[in-house]
RNA sequence: GCCCCGGUAGCUCAGUGGAUAGAGCAGCAGCCUUCUAAUCUGUCGCGCGUAGGUUCGACUCCUACCCGGGGCGCCA
């Protein structure tokens, strides 16, 4: 099964001998696809580009696919698909369950590490990005046939739990009576206490040891903190409609028992050396070593991340590991990957990628701080969104606002922007879908039948829509490869825009015969592709708005 | 000091080395007895941080610099 562009591309390559680099035309008057192959060849051969283009066009055998190609500008070759070919392509697409999404050549086991909220802290808008980007990548990779293993690497371990548990036991607090805001307040109090009172600090450090060595009383409090946190996380996930469940929880704590073994392997292989009392791994290209065991004998998060890589490769059999974590961690992950390669935890044929997203900044352009209370909690944002629109629409607005821009850019948090429902937004896509549902409902009521064949495609608005529809599969492929959800957003926005123009210019229910049947089939195809694409974004496709 | 990310229209952002750099928002002007006006049409507005370089061709690649943000041994 090959797509129209790849078929055409192969035909052109047969004449030119090189990849024609067929691209979607930048403007409608340039047809459907354009190639600059003549310009490149002309330069290499020292000839005039238009002459080369003329020669190529004369040799092309593509009459079964295209109108006669046109040579334009300095030597571009413009292709316009025959409308019957385009119509047939949509008909074929409609017959496929995947709507043009094709399974990857090789199905991989992909571990995606995302969301990762901290236990005993409320989720804030920063957690939102990891959660919804990860959820989208999860859906996209699964759609192209990969086995996806989500890993929610929650922050459920480390020194902060020493002070937290110590404070709770000191106060005699019943943890199960706390909500997350309450737990977070205890954490902030413990933090201040830790700084102000050396005796408390000592007790807190002892408490960390007790936690790690499995002291029953300490573990009991810790488990309760975990419990109330999980309940809150799950409530947030349900509200957002993301795929994560308790089965995907794989927090820092589960690697506790692996840490000594990981370090032992590093020592045995001679990769790790003692420096300044700490066990370090020096890797070329990094200006600081990775500390895998602190001078006091404790382990930090680097060791946990190494253990996670090792586990994901050895036990989960990952072919690809994706970390959806903020951009400030880039250096850390580069180092984790590099050390993992050295240590053999990460074989050369396993890809490891850090999907680094920019930070969410406050209105002042500064980083949000949980400690200073400037961070906006997830629930505050979602509440604000739901003041603007019904929950499903509000979630669409929030998610799309986050997914539709490039990932690596910081953004200033602006509720007004995130809950926008007009223009290039999630609700606009939902609206396009709802309109199609409405048309098809009415068609059904009129007894026009389920149309699945596009027979005529005379109007430019129909052709533009059809051409866009056929691109769906390649776009999903691109996102699976590049891990850039905003490309899918841009595509769906273009599709919805083309649909709106079609809707304005091409009456469906008032037309007759083959024209009506074809338009109905276009409506079905567009509705399905929108529904599929929205689903990949984690946005609900609505039948009415 | 070194490293990473960003700088494109008033604002928020797209932009596969290729044609006259595009969207949304905001502004202005229009279209609702016609399949949903969360739509659509028109209009105003940028020559892509700066300076060089490579190339037939640069927002895109290279070099230097400026501005903003982030990171860089025992927090996670």
């Amino acid at each position: 099964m090959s797509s129209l562009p790849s078929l055409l591309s192969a035909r052109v390559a047969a004449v030119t001998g090189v990849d024609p680099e067929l691209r979607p035309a930048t403007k409608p008057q340039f047809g459907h696809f354009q190639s600059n192959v003549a310009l490149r060849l002309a330069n290499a051969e020292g000839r005039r580009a238009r002459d080369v283009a003329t020669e190529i066009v004369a040799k092309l055998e593509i009459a079964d696919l295209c109108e006669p190609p046109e040579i334009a500008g300095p030597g571009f070759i413009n292709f316009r698909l025959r409308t019957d070919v385009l119509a047939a392509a949509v008909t074929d697409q409609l017959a496929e369950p995947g709507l043009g999404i094709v399974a990857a050549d090789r199905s991989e086991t992909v571990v995606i590490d995302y969301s990762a909220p901290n236990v005993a802290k409320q989720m804030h808008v920063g957690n939102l990005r990891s959660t919804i980007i990860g959820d989208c990548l999860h859906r996209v990779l699964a759609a192209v046939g990969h086995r996806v293993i989500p890993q929610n690497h929650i922050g459920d371990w480390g020194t902060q739990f020493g002070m937290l548990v110590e404070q709770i036991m000191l106060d005699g607090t019943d943890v199960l009576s706390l909500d997350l805001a309450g737990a977070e307040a205890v954490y902030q109090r413990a933090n201040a206490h830790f700084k102000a009172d050396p005796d408390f600090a000592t007790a807190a450090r002892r408490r960390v040891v007790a936690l790690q060595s499995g002291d029953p009383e300490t573990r009991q409090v810790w488990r309760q903190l975990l419990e109330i946190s999980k309940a809150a996380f799950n409530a947030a996930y349900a509200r957002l409609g993301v795929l994560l469940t308790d089965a995907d929880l794989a927090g820092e704590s589960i690697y506790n028992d692996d840490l000594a073994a990981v370090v032992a392997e590093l020592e045995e292989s001679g990769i790790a050396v003692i420096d300044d009392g700490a066990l370090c791994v020096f890797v070329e290209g990094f200006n600081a070593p990775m500390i895998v065991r602190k001078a006091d004998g404790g382990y930090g998060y680097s060791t946990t991340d190494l253990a996670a890589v090792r586990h994901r490769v050895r036990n989960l059999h990952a072919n690809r590991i994706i970390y959806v974590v903020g951009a400030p961690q880039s250096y850390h992950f580069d180092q984790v990957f590099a050390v993992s390669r050295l240590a053999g935890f990460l074989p050369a044929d396993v890809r490891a990628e850090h999907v680094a997203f920019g930070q969410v900044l406050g209105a002042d352009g500064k980083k949000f701080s949980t400690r200073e209370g400037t961070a906006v909690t997830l629930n505050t944002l979602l509440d604000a969104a739901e003041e603007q629109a019904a929950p499903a629409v509000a979630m669409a607005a929030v998610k799309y606002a986050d997914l539709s821009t490039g990932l690596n850019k910081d953004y200033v948090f602006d509720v007004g922007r995130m809950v926008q429902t007009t223009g290039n937004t999630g609700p606009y896509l939902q609206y396009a879908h709802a309109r199609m549902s409405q048309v098809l409902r009415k068609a059904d009521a009129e007894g026009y039948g389920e149309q699945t064949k596009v027979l005529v495609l005379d109007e430019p608005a129909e052709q533009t829509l059809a051409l866009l529809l056929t691109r769906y599969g390649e776009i999903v492929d691109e996102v699976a490869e590049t891990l850039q959800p905003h490309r899918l957003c841009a595509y769906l926005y273009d599709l919805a825009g083309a649909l709106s123009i079609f809707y304005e210019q091409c009456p469906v229910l008032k037309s007759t015969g083959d024209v009506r049947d074809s338009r109905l089939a276009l409506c079905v195809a567009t509705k399905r592709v929108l529904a599929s694409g929205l689903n990949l974004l984690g946005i609900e496709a609505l039948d009415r708005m």
Side-chain angles (χ1 to χ4, degrees):
Chain A
M1 166 77 228
S2 64
S3 63
L4 274 177
S6 59
L7 195 59
L8 183 57
S9 186
R11 297 279 188 87
V12 181
V15 170
T16 59
V18 299
D19 180 359
E21 295 185 6
L22 224 56
R23 301 278 183 262
T26 51
K27 291 189 191 318
Q29 68 262 34
F30 298 149
H32 296 154
F33 299 101
Q34 60 189 37
S35 172
N36 58 36
V37 68
L39 284 92
R40 284 180 287 127
L41 288 177
N43 188 43
E45 296 168 11
R47 300 173 56 201
R48 286 184 20 189
R50 288 192 71 105
D51 294 345
V52 174
T54 306
E55 200 175 288
I56 292 170
V57 168
K59 289 184 189 163
L60 283 174
E61 292 179 15
I62 52 174
D64 57 326
L65 297 175
C66 296
E67 302 296 334
E70 289 173 8
I71 298 166
F76 291 98
I77 306 175
N78 294 334
F79 300 90
R80 187 179 299 276
L81 294 169
R82 283 169 38 170
T83 57
D84 60 323
V85 171
L86 198 47
V90 176
T91 300
D92 288 349
Q93 188 178 3
L94 210 39
E96 291 174 41
L99 294 164
I101 298 176
V102 290
D105 296 338
R106 189 173 70 110
S107 178
E108 296 183 314
T109 297
V110 185
V111 167
I112 312 182
D113 182 323
Y114 66 102
S115 196
N118 287 315
V119 163
K121 284 186 194 167
Q122 297 181 85
M123 289 182 79
H124 50 85
V125 292
N127 291 114
L128 179 71
R129 297 209 82 184
S130 178
T131 305
I132 67 179
I133 293 164
D135 187 58
C136 174
L137 297 178
H138 180 167
R139 292 165 185 265
V140 168
L141 289 161
V144 298
H146 298 302
R147 175 168 172 254
V148 176
I149 304 179
Q151 294 279 279
N152 192 356
H153 195 79
I154 59 172
D156 61 355
W157 209 240
T159 52
Q160 72 274 23
F161 287 97
M163 63 178 86
L164 190 53
V165 172
E166 187 63 27
Q167 186 70 48
I168 284 166
M169 294 181 77
L170 204 63
D171 296 347
T173 306
D174 173 14
V175 174
L176 296 181
S177 72
L178 292 173
D179 58 11
L180 268 198
E184 192 170 312
V186 176
Y187 174 72
Q188 282 162 353
R189 200 142 39 82
N191 210 27
H193 199 175
F194 186 88
K195 282 179 185 160
D197 181 352
D199 290 342
F200 178 78
T202 304
R205 288 197 191 91
R206 269 202 304 271
R207 190 60 70 183
V208 176
V209 176
L211 176 66
Q212 293 184 343
S213 60
D215 169 61
E217 227 184 342
T218 306
R219 283 286 174 102
Q220 166 79 358
V221 174
W222 174 76
R223 264 196 303 274
Q224 290 175 339
L225 285 168
L226 202 57
E227 208 167 303
I228 61 168
S229 301
K230 273 160 58 175
F233 299 159
N234 286 333
Y237 296 150
R239 195 173 183 190
L240 285 167
V242 299
L243 301 171
L244 289 170
T245 69
D246 281 352
D248 308 317
L249 287 173
E252 296 168 352
S253 65
I254 69 163
Y255 302 104
N256 187 47
D257 295 339
D258 293 349
L259 301 180
V262 165
V263 168
E265 284 186 41
L266 294 171
E267 276 186 298
E268 279 161 28
S269 58
I271 293 168
V273 295
I274 299 285
D275 192 84
D276 252 352
L279 188 66
C280 301
V281 179
F282 289 86
V283 185
E284 201 179 335
F286 293 88
N287 59 12
M290 174 186 282
I291 291 174
V292 296
R293 191 180 60 216
K294 298 186 284 186
D296 67 4
Y299 303 112
Y301 84 139
S302 291
T303 316
T304 304
D305 279 336
L306 291 177
V309 170
R310 182 170 165 273
H311 172 251
R312 289 163 184 182
V313 172
R314 288 190 190 174
N315 305 322
L316 302 181
H317 308 293
N319 303 112
R320 188 180 188 185
I321 310 176
I322 295 167
Y323 290 83
V324 187
V325 181
Q329 306 282 342
S330 290
Y331 180 86
H332 168 69
F333 280 110
D334 284 348
Q335 201 168 30
V336 167
F337 299 158
V339 172
S340 295
R341 298 270 181 218
L342 273 181
F345 299 157
L346 192 60
D349 61 352
V350 177
R351 274 194 281 180
E353 291 158 281
H354 175 207
V355 175
F357 55 85
Q359 298 188 91
V360 182
L361 307 174
D364 56 358
K366 301 286 183 199
K367 193 175 164 181
F368 275 131
S369 163
T370 313
R371 209 185 47 217
E372 290 167 25
T374 58
V376 177
T377 66
L378 187 55
N379 283 328
T380 304
L381 169 63
L382 300 185
D383 289 347
E386 288 184 358
E387 279 172 22
Q388 305 297 312
V393 176
M395 290 309 117
V398 168
K399 287 186 179 185
Y400 189 87
D402 219 325
L403 292 170
S404 60
T405 64
L407 295 177
N408 49 356
K409 199 174 258 195
D410 291 349
Y411 70 71
V412 173
F413 179 74
D414 175 356
V415 183
R417 184 181 66 83
M418 292 199 84
V419 305
Q420 191 84 33
T421 63
T422 60
N424 186 359
T425 63
Y428 175 74
L429 302 183
Q430 290 178 312
Y431 180 67
H433 181 268
R435 273 177 147 183
M436 285 305 97
S437 295
Q438 173 87 326
V439 170
L440 294 171
R441 267 196 303 272
K442 293 200 169 177
D444 189 50
E446 296 290 330
Y448 293 158
E450 176 91 350
Q451 298 303 325
T452 58
K453 287 185 168 56
V454 179
L455 303 165
V456 290
L457 206 54
D458 292 335
E459 293 298 321
E462 297 170 329
Q463 293 169 15
T464 303
L465 184 58
L467 182 66
L468 270 169
L469 284 170
T470 61
R471 293 199 58 200
Y472 182 54
E474 77 187 71
I475 296 294
V476 174
D477 251 8
E478 264 179 32
V479 176
E481 189 51 40
T482 64
L483 309 179
Q484 294 178 323
H486 79 279
R487 292 182 183 225
L488 178 56
C489 293
Y491 166 77
L492 292 174
Y493 179 65
D494 285 346
L495 183 65
L499 180 68
S500 288
I501 293 168
F502 164 81
Y503 187 88
E504 294 281 322
Q505 299 180 356
C506 304
V508 178
L509 301 175
K510 293 203 164 94
S511 55
T512 55
D514 283 352
V515 171
R516 188 181 67 206
D517 289 350
S518 296
R519 288 178 180 174
L520 280 170
L522 274 178
C523 288
V524 173
T526 309
K527 175 170 139 69
R528 287 198 198 158
V529 169
L530 282 171
S532 170
L534 283 169
N535 179 55
L536 294 182
L537 295 176
I539 294 174
E540 202 178 333
L542 304 174
D543 287 321
R544 294 177 202 274
M545 285 177 75

